[in-house]
Amino acid sequence: MRRSLLPFLLAFSLPVCAQEGLRYRIQVWMHGEVKPLETQFRLQSIAGTRSHNKVQKPRMGGWRLEVDRAEGTPYAQAMLLARAERLLYLAGPAPQTKPEPISLRFRNRSLPVWSLEMPKGLHASTVLVEVRPGLLALCDFSGRFSRGDVDRVELHLEGLDGTDRLAPAEDGTLLLSTLQSLVQEAREEAATTVTVQ
């Protein structure tokens, strides 16, 4: 039992910058608060599982988010990671994405920039970068919200600690469905307001 917990504990005790993956920082401002809740975490790919069937169908893996417990707001990491996961993108191009004629520099690497078409009615902006040929990852998300407890969210890619093992995730386009959900919630709130008046 003690032996099986060791890798889990190490993931939470090692500095984020010492491991492979994409390093992010998320900041969340609650309504009425001046200071944000924040934490730094790393996104790492998880290989797809293999079945025992003779014919192996291609399977996509997932991702794992590992927080640096020494960074950010104490006791808020779980909540912040749950919010961050809904805003991440780690997949190939989608119909809503478009390559831009610019690049962003991360130390000695220059990454092509892709834009993401935002649904109408959403006060948010997103930038994606191509971390490997044909593999896009979230670089920046910035959004403001009029409903709920959250006033503002900022999620930024701060560094690349290695991208050799990164691969498209099965839920890699979760950001797209989250944006649609946010727009739907805003429409429902607007409809309710009109009905009440």
Side-chain angles (χ1 to χ4, degrees):
M1 176 73 173
R2 186 176 296 173
R3 199 170 192 175
S4 63
L5 286 175
L6 188 58
F8 177 78
L9 295 173
L10 284 175
F12 279 85
S13 61
L14 289 175
V16 172
C17 60
Q19 304 172 24
E20 287 189 354
L22 304 176
R23 269 187 294 123
Y24 287 95
R25 180 175 298 276
I26 183 171
Q27 296 176 295
V28 175
W29 284 262
M30 309 304 280
H31 282 292
E33 297 292 331
V34 177
K35 232 179 138 184
L37 303 172
E38 64 179 306
T39 196
Q40 185 180 6
F41 66 92
R42 181 171 59 91
L43 181 153
Q44 184 181 36
S45 286
I46 299 174
T49 57
R50 292 177 61 88
S51 68
H52 295 292
N53 299 337
K54 288 183 181 179
V55 178
Q56 291 289 322
K57 293 182 180 178
R59 293 179 182 271
M60 296 181 82
W63 59 37
R64 177 172 57 233
L65 307 184
E66 296 178 350
V67 69
D68 184 353
R69 289 171 93 81
E71 292 286 326
T73 310
Y75 309 111
Q77 280 97 348
M79 180 272 287
L80 292 170
L81 285 186
R83 290 189 184 277
E85 187 166 31
R86 294 182 61 214
L87 299 172
L88 291 171
Y89 190 102
L90 186 64
Q96 300 93 321
T97 62
K98 183 178 78 170
E100 299 294 338
I102 56 172
S103 297
L104 286 176
R105 195 148 192 81
F106 283 84
R107 288 198 181 176
N108 59 343
R109 289 189 60 186
S110 184
L111 304 180
V113 169
W114 288 63
S115 59
L116 175 63
E117 182 183 341
M118 300 301 287
K120 289 181 181 178
L122 196 61
H123 301 289
S125 63
T126 302
V127 174
L128 305 174
V129 287
E130 193 168 358
V131 292
R132 290 182 64 183
L135 180 61
L136 308 182
L138 178 79
C139 181
D140 287 293
F141 175 87
S142 179
R144 288 190 171 274
F145 310 97
S146 57
R147 68 186 305 268
D149 296 334
V150 175
D151 178 47
R152 185 172 140 217
V153 175
E154 300 282 340
L155 178 56
H156 304 292
L157 178 64
E158 293 197 325
L160 302 135
D161 298 322
T163 57
D164 292 344
R165 295 183 185 179
L166 285 178
E170 190 171 354
D171 294 326
T173 59
L174 195 54
L175 171 63
L176 302 181
S177 55
T178 299
L179 295 177
Q180 290 301 328
S181 297
L182 291 171
V183 169
Q184 185 62 34
E185 288 171 9
R187 285 179 187 154
E188 289 171 3
E189 181 186 18
T192 305
T193 305
V194 169
T195 305
V196 170
Q197 290 176 353

